[in-house]
Amino acid sequence: MDTEDPAAAAPAGTVTNRSPRRLRRRRLTRLAATGVSALLLVSAPWAWTKVAAHGHLHPEATAPAVDVVIVLGTGVAPDRQQPGERLAGRLQTAAALVRAGRARVVLVSGDGNGTSGDEPTVMTSYLAGLGVDPQRVVADPFGLDTYDTCARARQVYGVTRALIVTQSYHLSRAVTLCRHLGVDVDGVAARCAGCPPTLLAGKAVRDYLASPKAAWDAARRRPPAVRSPENTGVRDALRGT
């Protein structure tokens, strides 16, 4: 006696034993598509910074020559007198650019009341120790984040063309924000000889997560946290060089 095919014998409208598997596959496909869409949406701000900065990132040796180099502040060493390793690398790179004639004036921008210490004061002192004439250094104590540094460089210090120095994981976001805010910048990847790969990887993840806020700040053109009158420090330093 022939064995009857259960699927063929099932009345019309009856769910066969294959249907649940097909339903599960469809659900998994929908979930995967939703996950990919969400990832693309979350990654869009990060992708914006990468695309907008393309062509404007340089190693130290091939950076274009400009009048001003902006150095972004970050953590000070525990003694509150010396820069941390990442900040030291940024300042060493800026000093090298000045010595090579690729910049004339350094605008150090950081938090003058930071949790680790007075970033601009430490930056100015460290540059002097590297042989940079203090009269070539201008300090902005209200560069509370990357966006504020760029906005204040343009609005307060009148900078329209510059190099900007920070570590590579941060460089695209810094360049994109400054260019969006009216400063024609090129980015220079800072040294970081003592930075372990784990630290750099963690900072890269942090920068990825910071991209949505950067995009939102740029889209709404938020004013910097601290507003100041025009400061002629950069202009005066350029006249003196």
Side-chain angles (χ1 to χ4, degrees):
M1 183 175 180
D2 293 337
T3 303
E4 189 176 28
D5 182 357
T14 302
V15 177
T16 70
N17 61 347
R18 295 181 183 178
S19 296
R21 285 198 293 272
R22 284 200 295 269
L23 289 171
R24 282 196 295 272
R25 282 197 296 270
R26 288 173 186 164
R27 290 193 191 102
L28 288 173
T29 300
R30 285 196 294 269
L31 284 172
T34 300
V36 170
S37 298
L39 180 61
L40 290 173
L41 183 63
V42 170
S43 298
W46 175 83
W48 167 64
T49 67
K50 294 297 182 183
V51 171
H54 181 70
H56 299 288
L57 308 179
H58 308 273
E60 178 187 309
T62 60
V66 300
D67 284 339
V68 181
V69 56
I70 302 169
V71 184
L72 293 165
T74 190
V76 172
D79 66 1
R80 303 176 78 87
Q81 303 300 315
Q82 295 294 317
E85 296 216 19
R86 286 177 295 131
L87 185 54
R90 298 177 190 185
L91 295 166
Q92 290 161 11
T93 301
L97 291 170
V98 171
R99 287 194 297 269
R102 298 183 184 276
R104 297 165 56 201
V105 169
V106 185
L107 175 61
V108 294
S109 181
D111 189 347
N113 193 31
T115 55
S116 66
D118 184 342
E119 295 172 10
T121 297
V122 170
M123 294 162 80
T124 301
S125 175
Y126 189 78
L127 283 171
L130 294 174
V132 178
D133 182 350
Q135 293 188 3
R136 289 182 175 231
V137 181
V138 178
D140 178 8
F142 299 116
L144 306 184
D145 61 15
T146 305
Y147 182 96
D148 281 20
T149 287
C150 293
R152 288 177 57 82
R154 179 70 181 87
Q155 298 169 17
V156 177
Y157 295 91
V159 177
T160 57
R161 177 79 178 105
L163 299 176
I164 191 164
V165 173
T166 186
Q167 273 73 35
S168 58
Y169 59 79
H170 181 204
L171 199 55
S172 290
R173 180 161 60 94
V175 166
T176 297
L177 283 173
C178 274
R179 295 185 72 83
H180 184 81
L181 290 165
V183 185
D184 179 15
V185 301
D186 283 278
V188 181
R191 305 173 186 182
C192 202
C195 300
T198 51
L199 176 117
L200 296 178
K203 293 297 181 182
V205 171
R206 181 183 179 278
D207 199 75
Y208 172 85
L209 296 175
S211 297
K213 180 182 182 298
W216 175 240
D217 284 344
R220 64 193 178 99
R221 288 270 180 173
R222 78 158 171 88
V226 178
R227 302 195 191 195
S228 304
E230 180 183 355
N231 186 307
T232 63
V234 169
R235 197 177 312 134
D236 294 342
L238 287 171
R239 275 200 294 265
T241 59

